Amino acid sequence: MPVYGTVQRSCVALLSSQPVDISRCLSCPCIVVTHKEHMQRALDLAFPIRGFVSPNPCVGAIVVKDGRIVAEGVHRKAGAPHAEADALEKAGTDALDATLYCTLEPCNHHGRTPPCTEAIIASGISEVVIASEDPNPHVAGKGAERLRKSGISVIEGVLREDADHMVREFLHVCREGRPWVVSKTASSLDGKVATASGESRWITSPSARQHGHRLRHEVDAVIVGAGTVIADDPTLSVRLPGGPWSQPTRVVMDSAGRCHPDAHVFDPSGAPSPVLVTTEAISASRRAAFEKRDVRVVVVEATPEGQVHPRALLEAVMKLGIQSLLIEGGPAITGSFLEHDLIDEVVTYLSPSIIGGSGARGAVGGSGRLQLDQRLWLDNVSVERCGSDIVVSGLTKRNSHL
């Protein structure tokens, strides 16, 4: 196990013979640095679990005693022990008078598993350090409060920004009541997703496409429009080496049932079952053809133009347990979500190439923003190389706190 705490042991306060309440020492660099180091380890444990635990958030926890990590835990899947319980079970008697670091506030209610607060109290842990507060109404501060009432020292907010970002989809759903929406586009440097003749495979490199498959793994669902299904016949599955990987729900936005029920995206052998979101414009016979393929057909409100209303779509898929949605195409569907201000995160792959042509399709359709001051601005922007391509990603400004 890694050993931390060299700086902590040199702290004048801790070398004192007097008892020290560490929760009062947050202004001391010795304490803050040490807590950050340990919390970073808990975050590092949790991050690889993204995509495996929905509808729960990915959480990591470690037990530290005398500056040494004695146990580590993660929440591996919904219904499995939470990270805190996992770490405490591994720690055993070493948990007595130790410090527990957890990336999310411990739960204080019965769900599929018992409350983590009970396990923490029973273990003899003397201090708990928390990164993010859990906004779930069943928790929302109650976990930390329960621990304090039991005489356990609680420190909150250590590496909160990093922890919040890691579980941003979960936090968003708890606070906003709708799924987190990620817009993914792949284009040339001049913003084209296809040539004027319609050719689009492949604009970006194999490395960028693998990166995109990782995005699919991390979300609950991938959505495309009828035009993409008709033109490209995608499978929308995760195809990466290694694994196993989580397969997202395949969602198709098709206002009148134009797609053929035999398209790859509706393959009934994939799991979970695909979803067709449509409007009252779909015919009874067409709907029956999809349902015969075990496609879940959901009829929602239409826009004035007769298209599937994206906000109604989000309400519908939320009822199916979908908390995060990746838009993969095409320009029309991305434009529709943009017009209704429903995009929370943007991931754009840029190929170092130029296509040109006024007839070539751009990455985002629809009417767009008519004024420059109405542009969708991003925050927390990152830029990275991915093979020969560049990946630009960021959160919309209303989500910059995540």
Side-chain angles (χ1 to χ4, degrees), residues 7-8 11 22 25-39 101 129 155 158-159:
V7 176
Q8 184 180 23
C11 178
I22 294 180
C25 298
L26 284 177
S27 60
C28 173
C30 300
I31 301 299
V32 172
V33 169
T34 301
H35 282 331
K36 286 182 178 179
E37 289 176 338
H38 289 315
M39 189 61 75
Y101 291 81
V129 182
I155 299 173
V158 176
L159 296 186

Side-chain angles (χ1 to χ4, degrees), residues 15 30 42 62 79-81 97 122-123 188 216 264 290 293 388-389 396:
L15 290 175
C30 300
I62 63 172
D97 293 326
S123 72
S188 59
R216 289 180 181 178
H264 283 121
F290 282 109
R293 289 265 287 173
S388 60
D389 303 313
T396 53

Side-chain angles (χ1 to χ4, degrees), residues 372-393:
L372 283 178
D373 61 5
Q374 297 174 344
R375 286 175 291 176
L376 182 67
W377 282 95
L378 302 183
D379 212 339
N380 298 341
V381 175
S382 66
V383 181
E384 60 181 301
R385 289 290 300 270
C386 191
S388 60
D389 303 313
I390 299 169
V391 185
V392 180
S393 58

Side-chain angles (χ1 to χ4, degrees), residues 77-157:
K77 64 179 181 178
H82 289 183
E84 303 93 323
D86 185 33
L88 291 172
E89 182 180 0
K90 293 172 182 175
T93 57
D94 283 336
L96 183 64
D97 293 326
T99 297
L100 174 69
Y101 291 81
C102 41
T103 59
L104 189 68
E105 179 185 3
C107 65
N108 190 46
H109 65 287
H110 284 272
R112 294 189 184 182
T113 59
C116 288
T117 51
E118 290 185 2
I120 295 170
I121 294 166
S123 72
I125 285 284
S126 62
E127 179 183 48
V128 175
V129 182
I130 299 168
S132 293
E133 178 182 313
D134 189 338
N136 185 328
H138 293 294
V139 188
K142 298 183 183 72
E145 180 184 5
R146 175 74 177 92
L147 296 175
R148 288 192 176 100
K149 286 182 177 179
S150 298
I152 296 174
S153 174
V154 178
I155 299 173
E156 300 180 76

